[in-house]
Amino acid sequence: MQQRLQQERFPEGFAFGAGASAYQWEGAANEDGRKPSVWDTFVHSRNQSNGDIACDGYHKYKEDVQLMVETGLNAYRFSISWSRLIPNGRGHVNPKGLQFYKNFIQQLVNHGIEPHVTLYHDDHPQYLEDEYGGWLNRRMIKDFTAYADVCFREFGAMSNFGQRSTKLTYSPLEVTMGSTPPGRCSPPGCSSGNSSTEPYIVGHNLLLAHASVSRLYKQKYKDIQGGSVGFSVHTLGFTLLQAPRMMNSLYKEPKLSSLAGEMLGPLTFGDYPDEMKTAVGSRLPVFSEEESEQVKGSSDFIGIMQYLAASVTNMKSKPSHPDFDSDMGEKYDVNPWAMEAVLDHIKQSYGNPPLYILENGTPMKQDLQDTPRIEYLQAYIGAVLKSIRNGSNTRGYFVWSFMDLFELLTGYDYSFGLYYVNFSDPHRKRSPKLSAHWYSAFLKGNTAFLVPKASPNCKQLLFFLLVMLHLIYCDGSFLVKRFSSVR
């Protein structure tokens, strides 16, 4: 597998990177003028683990960029903390926050790493949530557009920054369960909220905000900076629960449309899919004719966050209290075919737009010997390559995540990182996992994975491999019998 999966087989200019987000990586939650985001309020109000320090990336960004260089990344995806740059959400720009991002971006550029910037990663200022309800209110569109204008003006002219400028993200599954800020869902799960309507209202306002920002960039900055503006969605590969799990068994409608189509439909065609309108009914917001025209074609690319496959069943009866979860009706299962299925579906149904895989990875307990993650990455990167050969317009792949982070749903219990972070160490020491060595070897064109010499566990693995080679050389019948017994 390793010899066949080489970076050189991907198109010229293909972006290979990794990523993190501001709240999960930066720390310095109360430093240099930053004010609380909805994430700060959410975790502290529930006495949960938090990102107050996280990886301390705010102070260790130079060290982290050096790790990116050593790994061989040609791109890095990160987000800007709105409440660090504009603490109250609008108005006063925080000079220290502004300087931090300028320094970080310049550090990336100086080392030949292309910045891929996410302007919003579920962490808007708490001030706006308190004032008018955040994304449930259309006032958010104006404030987000003004925030984006500051980012374009201050960072867009920096070398290479403007290539991929804006990525709005939206996870309706998390919104409806109340498991992320602002923690709203239908009672009794939450003290306030309406899972039947609010996820669709939030998604609708996000689309309108994206269209507004896209229009601003094209009118004011694109001719000067030459950048692009895109929208990101969480996707799942679907198969019917009753059907065999085959590579081409993608259940396309109406279930896939309920997730990806909620965003990709309006972005491509200016409106929600008909099957979604039928399923959701009056709970689904309606675009005016002007809004439809603004949203349609507003994304220069689509960002994909792909982790899971889902098996779905046809729902014979409607639930007594419909909400986003019941509209979906899925069960999760991890399979690399899901990546191919999603990319093929977008190619076939949405005009084959430029795509970036912005998040793809697997969670594990913190462990330097993360062999399952290597197997996962090999399979999914291989699926991306196969999709490209089948005509998908995919232009980049980013591992989630570059290092262990404060994970938004699991805190510090599970991690996605290529690099281990010792969160018990005040200095947050970083150490490469096996997956970091594998990804580095892949990016640098090595045809075989070199086992690191420093780790005692790796020495044990090397000893085991030598024993196996001895068995093969001295008594090949051992392995023949062994495999025969398994079969």
Side-chain angles (χ1 to χ4, degrees):
M1 180 70 177
Q2 173 66 27
Q3 290 184 350
R4 289 186 284 112
L5 185 59
Q6 298 176 13
Q7 184 183 10
E8 288 78 7
R9 294 178 178 268
F10 286 79
E12 185 178 354
F14 192 88
F16 269 110
S21 80
Y23 186 73
Q24 297 173 269
W25 170 71
E26 287 180 6
N30 302 307
E31 293 185 37
D32 292 343
R34 181 187 182 275
K35 287 190 176 181
S37 74
V38 289
W39 264 107
D40 295 278
T41 304
F42 182 82
V43 294
H44 282 284
S45 66
R46 287 160 174 75
N47 198 27
Q48 297 177 357
S49 57
N50 58 67
D52 287 0
I53 302 175
C55 305
D56 198 24
Y58 186 76
H59 299 110
K60 297 175 72 70
Y61 70 92
K62 291 182 180 179
E63 174 185 330
D64 289 345
V65 171
Q66 188 58 45
L67 289 179
M68 297 174 205
V69 173
E70 294 172 6
T71 306
L73 304 188
N74 63 40
Y76 184 72
R77 179 200 175 215
F78 67 98
S79 71
I80 291 175
S81 168
W82 189 348
S83 59
R84 190 182 298 282
L85 186 64
I86 307 177
N88 288 332
R90 63 176 177 272
H92 168 69
V93 175
N94 176 20
K96 291 186 177 179
L98 176 64
Q99 193 59 51
F100 166 71
Y101 290 113
K102 285 189 173 183
N103 291 344
F104 181 43
I105 292 168
Q106 195 61 57
Q107 192 77 11
L108 291 169
V109 171
N110 289 347
H111 288 85
I113 300 171
E114 184 180 48
H116 288 237
V117 182
T118 298
L119 290 186
Y120 180 71
H121 200 107
D122 306 322
D123 59 346
H124 57 276
Q126 183 64 40
Y127 185 91
L128 300 182
E129 187 68 28
D130 293 339
E131 184 179 14
Y132 55 69
W135 286 109
L136 284 171
N137 194 311
R138 289 200 175 199
R139 290 175 61 184
M140 195 71 158
I141 299 169
K142 180 179 179 181
D143 285 338
F144 183 77
T145 303
Y147 157 64
D149 195 10
V150 172
C151 293
F152 294 146
R153 182 183 71 241
E154 297 293 344
F155 310 132
M158 299 179 73
S159 177
N160 292 337
F161 173 80
Q163 293 304 306
R164 288 146 192 102
S165 300
T166 308
K167 300 176 181 69
L168 276 164
T169 63
Y170 170 54
S171 176
L173 295 178
E174 295 166 9
V175 169
T176 189
M177 293 186 296
S179 56
T180 62
R184 297 176 61 87
C185 65
S186 293
C190 302
S191 59
S192 61
N194 187 336
S195 300
S196 178
T197 59
E198 290 183 358
Y200 299 107
I201 295 171
V202 169
H204 195 76
N205 289 339
L206 281 166
L207 284 166
L208 294 175
H210 164 75
S212 174
V213 167
S214 176
R215 186 169 62 254
L216 166 74
Y217 189 79
K218 290 174 182 176
Q219 292 175 351
K220 195 172 179 180
Y221 297 102
K222 189 172 183 66
D223 288 344
I224 301 171
Q225 298 175 4
S228 56
V229 175
F231 192 98
S232 301
V233 295
H234 286 269
T235 59
L236 295 172
F238 288 82
T239 184
L240 282 172
L241 190 61
Q242 300 92 333
R245 190 171 293 158
M246 300 170 61
M247 201 58 109
N248 61 351
S249 61
L250 174 65
Y251 184 55
K252 294 184 179 179
E253 54 184 3
K255 300 297 180 182
L256 183 58
S257 295
S258 296
L259 188 58
E262 180 184 2
M263 298 301 180
L264 298 185
L267 291 171
T268 306
F269 307 113
D271 203 359
Y272 298 112
D274 289 339
E275 62 269 21
M276 184 177 175
K277 292 181 181 179
T278 301
V280 182
S282 61
R283 294 180 288 132
L284 188 64
V286 177
F287 292 107
S288 69
E289 185 175 343
E290 181 182 5
E291 290 170 344
S292 176
E293 288 301 314
Q294 291 173 352
V295 172
K296 181 180 179 180
S298 59
S299 269
D300 298 320
F301 65 91
I302 299 297
I304 299 297
M305 288 163 281
Q306 170 65 34
Y307 294 95
L308 301 168
S311 299
V312 298
T313 57
N314 288 318
M315 298 177 63
K316 303 260 179 168
S317 60
K318 291 188 176 182
S320 56
H321 300 287
D323 58 23
F324 194 95
D325 289 334
S326 63
D327 294 338
M328 295 297 299
E330 75 273 349
K331 296 170 81 175
Y332 292 97
D333 191 17
V334 177
N335 283 291
W337 62 259
M339 181 71 81
E340 289 183 57
V342 165
L343 298 182
D344 181 69
H345 179 69
I346 294 174
K347 178 186 70 175
Q348 299 291 343
S349 302
Y350 299 102
N352 202 19
L355 297 177
Y356 289 86
I357 312 299
L358 296 180
E359 293 182 19
N360 180 240
T362 186
M364 295 175 58
K365 288 286 189 180
Q366 282 193 317
D367 190 350
L368 291 173
Q369 316 302 318
D370 60 343
T371 303
R373 180 171 287 117
I374 294 174
E375 296 169 351
Y376 180 99
L377 294 176
Q378 282 190 129
Y380 274 79
I381 294 174
V384 173
L385 178 58
K386 185 174 180 180
S387 295
I388 291 172
R389 289 175 171 175
N390 288 331
S392 173
N393 194 10
T394 304
R395 301 183 180 185
Y397 174 90
F398 293 76
V399 175
W400 186 269
S401 54
F402 183 62
M403 65 181 60
D404 294 341
L405 307 168
F406 167 73
E407 283 301 329
L408 300 182
L409 297 180
T410 60
Y412 298 102
D413 292 338
Y414 290 88
S415 66
F416 288 76
L418 299 174
Y419 282 82
Y420 169 84
V421 177
N422 185 352
F423 292 107
S424 299
D425 178 2
H427 300 291
R428 297 299 196 267
K429 182 180 178 181
R430 286 87 154 112
S431 303
K433 302 179 186 179
L434 284 178
S435 59
H437 290 288
W438 178 87
Y439 196 44
S440 180
F442 166 73
L443 294 176
K444 295 176 181 179
N446 296 347
T447 57
F449 174 58
L450 300 178
V451 180
K453 298 179 180 180
S455 169
N457 288 333
C458 289
K459 291 181 180 178
Q460 294 171 10
L461 176 60
L462 183 58
F463 175 77
F464 172 77
L465 292 174
L466 289 173
V467 170
M468 294 301 293
L469 287 172
H470 174 77
L471 288 170
I472 294 171
Y473 180 76
C474 297
D475 187 7
S477 63
F478 168 81
L479 290 180
V480 173
K481 292 175 183 177
R482 193 70 187 135
F483 283 117
S484 298
S485 65
V486 172
R487 296 184 64 182

